[in-house]
Amino acid sequence: EAQVTQNPRYLITVTGKKLTVTCSQNMNHEYMSWYRQDPGLGLRQIYYSMNVEVTDKGDVPEGYKVSRKEKRNFPLILESPSPNQTSLYFCASSLTGEGYTFGSGTRLTVV
Amino acid sequence: GQSLEQPSEVTAVEGAIVQINCTYQTSGFYGLSWYQQHDGGAPTFLSYNALDGLEETGRFSSFLSRSDSYGYLLLQELQMKDSASYFCAVRDVRRDDKIIFGKGTRLHILP
């Protein structure tokens, strides 16, 4: 089944403890992207990648890192999480840069 | 700057037709996309308009007018399962292909 898989689905962590949210797609898509979704603010792009080893900042990149060493994987790294990074995170991929397929989401709480 | 404006909420009756508008302020983008998101779920891609005009996919249609900086999503024969949030989105060529989403329109359907 064609899909974007992100893990974990739920995560509660403490301020400052490094964490990684994994994202993998099995559709051989070139484009991958991370979003956060907050009430009243909609979906905001954190980072995106148009190909292996090519990553660019979205609108809200502060406090996040990504890497794209392989086409299928695009992990999101929070080196030192803070409470303002409590949010719902989505990974997504696309063949053309339009029409993204989204993962199921990761609900992150930083206390 | 760039923004996409959508109404925050729309209410319609089951079986009726509803139009969700999206106006935007950007001079360079590839096309307009629409996504649906049910409560607790991930966004799912509905449609993409690269060219001006109407694109029809079953009960859903999407329209784009670049000269008017305007697009809409039209939902016909509304069903209760169409109760969801709907987002318009563009990929901005003048901002390194960043994806910008509108804040979403919550569609309420009355029986």
Side-chain angles (χ1 to χ4, degrees):
Chain A
E1 180 188 354
Q3 59 185 0
V4 177
T5 303
Q6 53 180 113
N7 283 295
R9 289 293 308 275
Y10 301 92
L11 179 60
I12 301 174
T13 190
V14 297
T15 298
K17 185 177 181 181
K18 180 179 178 180
L19 67 91
T20 299
V21 184
T22 64
C23 175
S24 180
Q25 50 94 4
N26 62 1
M27 297 167 280
N28 202 36
H29 283 172
E30 303 286 340
Y31 293 79
M32 296 188 75
S33 190
W34 276 103
Y35 300 88
R36 61 178 289 173
Q37 187 171 33
D38 302 288
L41 297 177
L43 287 153
R44 293 180 294 167
Q45 194 176 39
I46 303 171
Y47 269 96
Y48 62 104
S49 170
M50 289 187 278
N51 212 328
V52 176
E53 301 291 3
V54 179
T55 62
D56 283 293
K57 295 178 180 178
D59 275 337
V60 288
E62 294 78 20
Y64 305 94
K65 286 174 57 177
V66 293
S67 66
R68 187 92 183 273
K69 293 184 170 59
E70 314 161 273
K71 184 181 274 192
R72 63 183 291 121
N73 296 322
F74 192 45
L76 179 70
I77 302 156
L78 285 73
E79 294 270 1
S80 183
S82 63
N84 65 11
Q85 292 178 298
T86 292
S87 187
L88 178 60
Y89 291 86
F90 288 103
C91 179
S93 73
S94 169
L95 183 63
T96 62
E98 309 289 351
Y100 276 80
T101 300
F102 280 74
S104 299
T106 295
R107 189 166 291 281
L108 172 65
T109 302
V110 183
V111 299
Chain B
Q2 168 180 334
S3 65
L4 287 88
E5 299 293 330
Q6 310 177 230
S8 58
E9 292 185 86
V10 171
T11 300
V13 178
E14 190 176 14
I17 299 172
V18 71
Q19 179 174 312
I20 299 174
N21 297 325
C22 175
T23 57
Y24 53 86
Q25 296 176 15
T26 178
S27 55
F29 67 99
Y30 294 101
L32 185 69
S33 297
W34 287 93
Y35 291 82
Q36 177 192 61
Q37 186 180 27
H38 287 100
D39 284 346
T44 57
F45 173 69
L46 290 177
S47 68
Y48 173 66
N49 289 68
L51 303 174
D52 283 6
L54 191 67
E55 295 277 347
E56 297 181 64
T57 309
R59 294 188 298 114
F60 293 4
S61 303
S62 57
F63 174 82
L64 174 64
S65 170
R66 289 176 185 268
S67 60
D68 295 325
S69 297
Y70 166 70
Y72 65 73
L73 180 69
L74 190 73
L75 295 81
Q76 303 183 73
E77 300 172 21
L78 284 171
Q79 302 175 9
M80 297 305 293
K81 68 178 181 180
D82 298 330
S83 294
S85 292
Y86 293 84
F87 297 87
C88 57
V90 298
R91 183 159 60 111
D92 192 345
V93 300
R94 294 175 190 257
R95 295 180 63 193
D96 299 323
D97 281 10
K98 289 179 184 175
I99 303 286
I100 308 297
F101 278 82
K103 289 187 169 56
T105 298
R106 180 71 183 219
L107 175 61
H108 302 278
I109 299 176
L110 304 176

